[in-house]
Amino acid sequence: MTDATSAYQQHIGEAAALPENVMLRVNHLVKEFPITRGVFFKKQVGAVQAVSDISFEIRKGETLGLVGESGCGKSTTARCVLRLLEPTGGDVYFRTGEDDHIVNIATADKDTLREIRREMQIVFQDPYASLNPMMTVASIVAEPLVVHDVGTKEERLERVKELLQVVGLSPEHANRYPHEFSGGQRQRIGVARALALNPSFMVLDEPVSALDVSIQAQVLNLMQDLQEELGLTYLFIAHDLSVVRHISDRVAVMYLGKIAELADRDALYEEPMHPYTHALLSAVPIPDPDIEAKRSRILLEGDIPSPANPPSGCRFHTRCPKAQEGVCDVDVPELRELEPDHWVACHFPEVKKVF
Amino acid sequence: MTDIEYNLESEEPELAFEAEGLSVEPITQWDLFSARLRRHRLAMFSALFLGLLVVLVLIAPLLPLHPPTERLLDESGRSLVNIAPRPGLWFGTDELGRDVLSRIIYGGRASLIVGLTAGILVALFGTLVGSLAGYYPGSVDQALMRFTDLWLGLPLLPVAIVVGRILPEIAFLPGWLKQGPFGIALLIGFLSWGSLARIVRAEFLSLREKEFVEAARAAGAADKRIVFRHILPNAMSPIIVTTTLVVGSAIIIEAALSFLGFGVPPPTPTWGGMVSEGGRLAARGFWWELVFSGAALVATVLAINFFGDGLRDALDPTQTIERK
Amino acid sequence: MSEALLKVEDLRTYFATEEGVVRAVDGISFEMRRGERRGVVGESGSGKSVTAMSIMGLIEPPAGDIVTGRIVFDGQNLLELSEDEMQSIRGGRIAMIFQDPMTALNPVYTIGDQLMETIVLHQKVSKAEAREIAIQALRDVQIPNAEHRLNDYPHQFSGGMRQRVMIAMGLSCSPDLLIADEPTTALDVTTQAQIMDLMLHLAEDRGTAVMLITHDLGVVAGFCDTVQVMYAGGIVESGTIDDIYHNPQHPYTWGLLGSMTRLDDATQHRLHSISGAPPSLIKLPEGCRFRPRCQFATDICRQVLPVLRPVGNAGQMAACHRSEELDLKALSVDGEVGAAASEVTS
C-alpha cells in the first residue's frame, strides 16, 4: 500500500494496539477481480477494484452500518472480512472471544480460519437462495454444529429447537423444508443458523431488503432483540438508509469502492458533510406527504461510473455538484476527521442538513 | 385448526404458523419421499413393471419355457417355423421355429444389462468429470471440458461399429468383454457420458455461487461437505433424468448395433436383434416377432423414463405434499 | 366535475393453478380522474400488479380470467373490446412501464427501432417523422445525445437510462393514463430520485394520469395525490395521501406505516410489526382478510367481509368494521400500543 499512513490509519493505529473496545479492524482492504479475455487461454487484461484501500473498525457490541448503492463494494467488503472472498491486499484484525487474542483474518491459515468461523457468522440477503432446498430446517440450522463437531446428535437437535425458539419459530418445524416457509420465516431460519455457534460478531448482508415492509419490521426487531440479549456486534450492510439509521450506531457510506464518510449515526444523518452523502440522503423518500412536499432533492447527474474504470482523483467528482477542476479530478481525498469521530473524504466538505 | 385470539401481547410465532395453515406435526424425510413417489402414479406403475421384468428375466430358467435357442418341432417331427400366436405358443415362433415368448424373456437379460450398465457408467463418469470441472474452475475445468468436447464430437454409431469390430480381435481381452452385453454396454457407456458431464458442470457452476453454499463455507464446511451435502443433492434431478434417458437410448443403440450386425452375436437373443429380425419377417406377413419384441422394448424404455421422472420429483422437496 | 377517466367496478381476476383458484384481485372498485396521480400500495401478493394487468388487458386465459367486473376507460368498457381495439388503446391511450426495463426491451433491436415502432403503430406519421418524435421523446426524458443513442441497443444503457427509455416509450403517444408498475424498485436510490422527479414533471406538464404501483409508501408520499392500499386481493383503504398518512382508518394501513423505518426518525424504538404473514389467496380466511393479523379483530370481523365504505375525512374510504370506534390516529405506533389496543377491545 502506498499511502500506508493515512490519517484514519494513524487514528486507528496498529493491530497490536487494538483498543479494548474494538472487535474488528479493517486496514487498507483491497479486493480486485480480474477481467479476463479469451476462451481457450484466459488472459488477464485488467482488474476491477471493487474495494479500494478502505479502513474502518467495529467496536464491541455496536452496529456499524455500511451503506452505498449497487457496485459500491459493500458486500465485497463484508465477504472479505469473513474471508469468503480472498482479499487482494490489506488486513482484517479480529479479537477472538475466548482468550482475547487478535487474529489477522486476511492471512490466517485454514485451521485458524475454521476456528474463527465459530465466532463470526453471516445472514444473507435472499432468504430463498441462502437455504439449501434439499435440507430440512433441522439440518440447516445444525450445520455449523456438525461442521465444528459440537455435541451429540441429540444435543444438536436440542440446540436447534432452542435456536428456533430464540428466533421466533416453533421447534416442531425442524423437520420441514425451507420452501414451506414464507420469506420472513426463512430469514429467521437463516438467523438461527448464524446463531448456532454463539458467535460474537455477525455480518448482516441486506437481511431485510428482500422482505415486505411488515415482515421487515419483524426481522429488524428480532435483530435488535438478539443484539441486546446476546451482546452481539453487527456489521449491517444495506442500501436502504432509513433501515440503517434505525439499526446502526455508526454508519459508513461507500462510493465506488471507497469510504466517503464515516460517523456516528446522528451526526451522519443530521450533519452530513460529504456531497455524496447529501445526495444519497436527499434521495430517500420519507413516508410523510407534508415533509415530502417541502423537500428539495439534490439530483445527481448521470450514473455511477464503472468500477473497472474509476474516475481519477475523487471518484465522485464526475457527478459532484461541488467538484472543482484541478483539485477533485487530480487528488484523491483522504478520509479526515473533521469533527470528533466524524470522518470525511472530501476536498470541500460542508455540513448540510438535507431533510 | 383452532381459533386464536390475536393481540399485541401474544406475538407468538406458532400462532402465526397456525394462522397460515401449517400444521406442526413432525414428519420424516422418508415419509415425504415415499409419499411423493407414491403420488406419481405412472412412476409407481413403471416401477412395478420394471420390477416384474427383472424378476421374470432372473427366474427365466425356472419358468415352464422352451429354451430360447431350441428349434421347436411338432408331434410328427416337422419344424414349427413362423407359427402365429396360439395357445401354448402365445407369442408365436420365428423363422427358425424358436419360441418368441421365451426369446423375449431371455432377450430382456441382454437388453437390461446393456441399458443399466451403460446408465450406471454414464452416471458415475459424467458426474465425476462434470463436478470436478464445475467445482474447480480454471485449468482443471478447461482441460476436462476440452476433453469432453472432443469426446462429444465422436459420432456414436460409426465409432461403436468400428470398435465393436476391433474388440474381438484383441487377444488379451477377456471373453465377456469381447462379446456379449457387457462389452456393448461399456462401449455405449464410454461414448455417452459427455453430455451428462456438461450438464453437471453447468449445475455445479451455478450452484457453487449460491448463497447457501456460501453459508456453508461461512460455517467452516470443507469442500467435501459442500460438494456432497450441498451441491450434489441439488444437481440430482438433471443427473437422474439424463441417466434414465441414457438407459433407454443404450437399449435402443444396442438394438441398432444388432440390426447392423455388431451387437450381441446370435444365437443369444436380444430385443434389438429380435426387432431387426422381426422387421424382415413382418415384411413377409409374420408380424408377431416384431410386434412383441418391439412392444417389450418400447414399454421398458418408457417405464425407465417415467420412473426417472417420478424419482426426480420425489427427491425434490419443493414438490408439495398436502399437509393438514 | 367531469366524468372519471378510469372507473373500475367490482373487478375480480382469478388464476387457476394446480393447488386451486388464486383470487388475485377479488372485487375491487375505484375511480381515477384525468391527471390524477394515484398510488396503488401493497405487499407482494396483494393484487396490485394484477389490477394493472387487468386494466391493460394482459390477463391471458386460460391461466387467468377476469371473472366479473367492468373497466370503464373514458366511457368505454375495456372488457368488451376486441383484441384489435384493445391493441390500439394499449401503448396509445394507456401506456405501461415495468419494474425491469431490461426484460421489457427487446435486446436484438435498437432503442430507436423500438421507440419508432410504438409511434408508427399508434400515430399516423411517416418514418422520418416518427424518428423526430422519438428523438424528442428521448430528449424529454433527459437522455443526452438523443440522436446517437437512438442507434444503441438496450444493453448499452444503464438501468436508470433504460427506465428513462421506457418512460419515453410510454409517453411518446401522449397517453391519458400511464401505469407504472414498481418503476424504480430495481434502481438505486439516487437513480430512483432522478426517475421519480422526471415522471412527476412530465406527468404534471402533460396532465397525464399516473397509476403508480409500489410497495414503497415513501415514494408515494412524494409523487401521488391519492392512494389505495391493497391487501390480499382487496382494497382496504383509499383516500388522499394526507388522509392515508395522517389519518389512517384501517388497521393494516396504520400497521404498515408503523412498521416502516424513517429517515427522519432519530429514535431506535422497536418497530410496530404486524405479526404473521398475508393469507394464501387460495384459502382466504372467513370474514375480514386481515383478521388473522389484526390486533383489533372481534367476532364480526371473523364472520363478515367488510366492504369499502366512507369513513374518516371526506372522500376517504376504508374496509373495516371498527373504523369508527378505533381512533387509530390517537394510538401512537411506538408507545403504549398494547395498552391502548386492549382498552379499545374491552
Side-chain angles (χ1 to χ4, degrees):
Chain A
M1 294 304 98
T2 46
D3 53 339
T5 48
S6 71
Y8 189 78
Q9 188 53 46
Q10 282 171 358
H11 170 73
I12 59 181
E14 287 309 315
L18 207 61
E20 192 66 4
N21 67 340
V22 171
M23 172 71 105
L24 182 122
R25 167 174 300 163
V26 172
N27 272 1
H28 295 301
L29 184 69
V30 176
K31 175 63 189 176
E32 285 178 355
F33 293 101
I35 307 170
T36 54
R37 289 266 160 75
V39 182
F40 286 97
F41 303 101
K42 294 229 162 105
K43 209 174 95 187
Q44 187 171 339
V45 293
V48 177
Q49 223 174 47
V51 177
S52 182
D53 188 8
I54 66 168
S55 304
F56 60 88
E57 60 184 25
I58 304 175
R59 296 165 195 162
K60 265 188 196 165
E62 81 166 350
T63 301
L64 178 73
L66 196 56
V67 277
E69 299 181 282
S70 45
C72 72
K74 54 190 192 297
S75 282
T76 308
T77 304
R79 279 165 174 72
C80 287
V81 165
L82 293 179
R83 195 111 163 247
L84 290 172
L85 286 174
E86 288 294 325
T88 311
D91 303 302
V92 179
Y93 297 108
F94 178 69
R95 181 189 300 280
T96 68
E98 280 155 40
D99 42 5
D100 206 41
H101 77 278
I102 290 153
V103 176
N104 187 350
I105 296 170
T107 56
D109 61 29
K110 237 179 161 177
D111 291 336
T112 319
L113 208 55
R114 224 179 95 87
E115 275 312 299
I116 291 203
R117 295 223 186 283
R118 286 164 166 265
E119 294 179 51
M120 45 199 316
Q121 279 297 318
I122 176 165
V123 176
F124 293 92
Q125 169 176 6
D126 183 351
Y128 289 85
S130 60
L131 307 178
N132 186 342
M134 303 293 284
M135 283 164 73
T136 59
V137 169
S139 15
I140 289 171
V141 175
E143 170 142 56
L145 302 171
V146 175
V147 166
H148 289 276
D149 213 12
V150 176
T152 64
K153 211 172 168 192
E154 289 71 33
E155 284 165 358
R156 287 199 291 260
L157 190 61
E158 273 315 298
R159 174 78 177 137
V160 166
K161 289 183 170 174
E162 184 189 316
L163 284 164
L164 288 177
Q165 256 169 340
V166 166
V167 299
L169 292 173
S170 163
E172 277 78 36
H173 292 102
N175 274 317
R176 291 181 172 272
Y177 286 91
H179 76 271
E180 299 179 68
F181 297 85
S182 66
Q185 292 165 340
R186 283 163 153 258
Q187 201 57 299
R188 288 172 193 266
I189 297 169
V191 174
R193 169 177 59 194
L195 289 175
L197 291 165
N198 267 326
S200 52
F201 171 66
M202 258 158 84
V203 170
L204 310 175
D205 185 10
E206 307 250 12
V208 298
S209 303
L211 306 176
D212 274 322
V213 179
S214 70
I215 312 296
Q216 272 192 9
Q218 297 173 3
V219 174
L220 284 175
N221 284 344
L222 173 69
M223 300 318 303
Q224 278 182 320
D225 292 347
L226 290 174
Q227 182 167 42
E228 216 166 278
E229 285 162 32
L230 307 172
L232 295 167
T233 304
Y234 289 154
L235 173 60
F236 191 97
I237 316 278
H239 66 270
D240 184 332
L241 283 113
S242 342
V243 169
V244 169
R245 176 164 202 180
H246 181 79
I247 199 148
S248 309
D249 298 306
R250 290 188 309 135
V251 179
V253 178
M254 279 185 82
Y255 184 78
L256 269 182
K258 288 222 174 258
I259 292 181
E261 187 162 1
L262 170 63
D264 280 346
R265 172 180 81 106
D266 287 331
L268 191 109
Y269 283 80
E270 299 296 335
E271 292 153 4
M273 287 197 241
H274 196 288
Y276 178 61
T277 316
H278 298 158
L280 206 54
L281 287 173
S282 95
V284 180
I286 294 173
D288 186 325
D290 296 347
I291 294 173
E292 281 294 298
K294 278 184 252 150
R295 287 177 82 187
S296 66
R297 298 225 138 87
I298 303 166
L299 294 177
L300 292 177
E301 294 285 312
D303 296 305
I304 301 177
S306 158
N309 189 15
S312 61
C314 172
R315 295 194 168 183
F316 186 55
H317 85 261
T318 52
R319 304 171 74 199
C320 181
K322 301 173 79 180
Q324 288 188 18
E325 228 176 295
V327 182
C328 299
D329 54 345
V330 180
D331 296 331
V332 180
E334 222 176 61
L335 203 56
R336 291 179 294 156
E337 187 173 30
L338 300 180
E339 295 285 330
D341 250 349
H342 194 147
W343 297 80
V344 186
C346 177
H347 296 298
F348 306 102
E350 176 194 14
V351 174
K352 191 170 183 179
K353 193 155 167 52
V354 285
F355 58 87
Chain B
M1 231 166 50
T2 50
D3 283 327
I4 293 142
E5 282 298 333
Y6 275 84
N7 51 48
L8 262 197
E9 288 85 61
S10 81
E11 246 185 72
E12 276 139 66
E14 292 100 290
L15 308 184
F17 267 106
E18 296 282 4
E20 282 166 50
L22 287 172
S23 80
V24 289
E25 281 300 303
I27 187 165
T28 69
Q29 301 192 35
W30 173 251
D31 286 346
L32 283 172
F33 173 77
S34 54
R36 280 190 223 104
L37 192 60
R38 275 200 304 276
R39 204 176 48 160
H40 219 288
R41 290 255 171 79
L42 208 51
M44 288 311 290
F45 187 76
S46 301
L48 196 70
F49 174 81
L50 291 172
L52 276 177
L53 187 68
V54 168
V55 170
L56 213 58
V57 159
L58 286 177
I59 64 164
L62 306 176
L63 297 174
L65 288 171
H66 301 287
T69 49
E70 184 191 339
R71 299 178 178 201
L72 302 182
L73 304 171
D74 66 5
E75 297 83 27
S76 50
R78 274 175 309 177
S79 62
L80 289 167
V81 176
N82 290 333
I83 301 295
R86 67 178 196 203
L89 286 171
W90 298 99
F91 283 15
T93 62
D94 65 8
E95 63 180 341
L96 294 176
R98 299 173 296 198
D99 182 4
V100 171
L101 175 61
S102 163
R103 286 181 70 76
I104 284 179
I105 290 175
Y106 278 92
R109 289 187 159 183
S111 294
L112 287 181
I113 287 172
V114 169
L116 295 177
T117 312
I120 291 169
L121 216 63
V122 166
L124 291 179
F125 206 64
T127 306
L128 182 72
V129 172
S131 48
L132 282 174
Y135 194 72
Y136 297 106
S139 46
V140 175
D141 178 28
Q142 290 292 313
L144 285 174
M145 277 303 113
R146 293 299 83 79
F147 177 61
T148 307
D149 288 344
L150 201 79
W151 219 254
L152 274 172
L154 294 175
L156 200 147
L157 266 184
V159 173
I161 288 168
V162 171
V163 178
R165 171 63 58 82
I166 296 169
L167 269 183
E169 311 292 324
I170 305 174
F172 61 84
L173 288 179
W176 61 266
L177 192 62
K178 283 189 200 171
Q179 286 190 333
F182 278 108
I184 299 286
L186 288 178
L187 187 57
I188 296 173
F190 271 110
L191 287 170
S192 323
W193 57 266
S195 51
L196 179 63
R198 278 214 156 273
I199 292 168
V200 171
R201 171 183 174 265
E203 285 288 316
F204 265 61
L205 277 180
S206 88
L207 286 167
R208 71 193 294 279
E209 301 301 327
K210 284 271 156 76
E211 284 189 343
F212 63 79
V213 171
E214 216 175 359
R217 210 165 273 143
D223 284 356
K224 193 175 130 202
R225 182 176 172 87
I226 287 170
V227 168
F228 288 102
R229 193 89 174 106
H230 292 283
I231 300 187
L232 205 52
N234 282 289
M236 275 325 276
S237 77
I239 293 176
I240 287 172
V241 171
T242 313
T243 304
T244 54
L245 289 176
V246 165
V247 172
S249 68
I251 292 175
I252 291 168
I253 290 167
E254 189 279 322
L257 288 174
S258 293
F259 180 79
L260 296 168
F262 300 100
V264 179
T268 311
T270 70
W271 289 348
M274 293 177 74
V275 169
S276 69
E277 186 186 278
R280 268 190 300 112
L281 293 173
R284 286 156 55 195
F286 310 125
W287 50 270
W288 44 90
E289 185 171 4
L290 174 68
V291 168
F292 291 123
S293 60
L297 183 69
V298 171
T300 304
V301 171
L302 282 180
I304 289 169
N305 289 344
F306 289 143
F307 181 65
D309 265 2
L311 202 60
R312 179 195 55 188
D313 289 351
L315 285 171
D316 177 3
T318 62
Q319 293 282 318
T320 46
I321 290 290
E322 275 295 305
R323 281 197 203 177
K324 269 277 99 185
Chain C
M1 198 66 229
S2 62
E3 205 189 328
L5 173 67
L6 177 75
K7 198 168 175 179
V8 172
E9 290 169 10
D10 194 33
L11 178 69
R12 286 170 205 271
T13 307
Y14 294 175
F15 291 86
T17 68
E18 244 175 68
E19 284 88 39
V21 176
V22 173
R23 292 195 266 170
V25 169
D26 202 20
I28 63 165
S29 305
F30 65 93
E31 279 185 29
M32 275 182 79
R33 285 173 288 108
R34 282 181 190 281
E36 177 178 336
R37 289 191 298 276
R38 190 176 185 85
V40 177
V41 178
E43 299 181 276
S44 35
S46 62
K48 54 192 195 304
S49 284
V50 176
T51 306
M53 305 276 277
S54 305
I55 297 169
M56 289 297 283
L58 294 174
I59 300 294
E60 305 249 329
D65 190 19
I66 296 179
V67 187
T68 62
R70 279 156 48 87
I71 299 173
V72 182
F73 177 73
D74 207 11
Q76 241 179 338
N77 184 356
L78 299 182
L79 298 180
E80 286 165 359
L81 296 184
S82 70
E83 183 47 38
D84 279 352
E85 291 168 313
M86 198 58 218
Q87 191 90 55
S88 76
I89 287 189
R90 199 158 47 210
R93 300 196 58 201
I94 307 180
M96 184 158 179
I97 55 181
F98 298 89
Q99 173 175 344
D100 184 356
M102 197 59 205
T103 55
L105 289 167
N106 188 332
V108 301
Y109 292 105
T110 64
I111 293 296
D113 286 342
Q114 298 183 57
L115 256 170
M116 276 144 63
E117 189 194 351
T118 317
I119 295 164
V120 172
L121 205 64
H122 294 285
Q123 300 177 35
K124 291 190 175 60
V125 290
S126 70
K127 212 147 178 230
E129 287 169 308
R131 195 181 151 79
E132 281 312 305
I133 297 173
I135 292 172
Q136 190 52 48
L138 288 185
R139 283 200 186 120
D140 288 348
V141 294
Q142 291 157 25
I143 290 182
N145 245 333
E147 301 84 355
H148 296 105
R149 306 265 7 214
L150 218 50
N151 301 322
D152 284 350
Y153 289 89
H155 73 267
Q156 291 168 292
F157 286 75
S158 69
M161 282 295 161
R162 261 181 241 134
Q163 200 56 290
R164 284 173 194 265
V165 171
M166 289 305 297
I167 294 170
M169 208 175 276
L171 294 177
S172 61
C173 298
S174 311
D176 298 307
L177 173 64
L178 177 70
I179 300 178
D181 189 356
E182 305 263 10
T184 58
T185 305
L187 304 175
D188 277 319
V189 63
T190 54
T191 317
Q192 165 173 292
Q194 294 170 347
I195 298 288
M196 291 316 294
D197 182 70
L198 179 72
M199 275 183 36
L200 185 63
H201 284 119
L202 290 172
E204 259 177 353
D205 292 350
R206 302 172 182 214
T208 314
V210 182
M211 181 187 280
L212 177 69
I213 295 166
T214 179
H215 65 278
D216 188 340
L217 280 161
V219 172
V220 170
F223 183 83
C224 298
D225 315 312
T226 56
V227 194
Q228 69 192 44
V229 181
M230 294 190 66
Y231 184 80
I235 298 176
V236 293
E237 181 159 9
S238 70
T240 65
I241 44 170
D242 211 43
D243 298 338
I244 299 292
Y245 288 84
H246 297 307
N247 187 22
Q249 293 294 317
H250 195 285
Y252 177 64
T253 318
W254 174 80
L256 211 53
L257 287 166
S259 60
M260 287 191 74
T261 52
R262 285 174 64 135
L263 191 68
D264 58 346
D265 182 2
T267 67
Q268 290 185 317
H269 62 82
R270 268 180 77 85
L271 294 167
H272 168 82
S273 70
I274 306 173
S275 64
S280 149
L281 296 174
I282 296 171
K283 279 173 274 178
L284 288 168
E286 291 277 309
C288 177
R289 287 168 196 153
F290 185 58
R291 191 263 306 161
R293 301 175 73 191
C294 182
Q295 64 194 84
F296 307 112
T298 58
D299 283 342
I300 185 159
C301 307
R302 221 180 290 284
Q303 289 146 11
V304 185
L305 177 66
V307 292
L308 201 62
R309 62 199 172 89
V311 283
N313 299 336
Q316 192 174 1
M317 314 255 273
C320 176
H321 294 300
R322 306 192 62 199
S323 286
E324 284 86 355
E325 37 175 331
L326 298 172
D327 189 4
L328 290 173
K329 199 173 152 187
L331 297 176
S332 88
V333 283
D334 41 66
E336 299 289 304
V337 181
S342 50
E343 207 172 283
V344 173
T345 11
S346 60

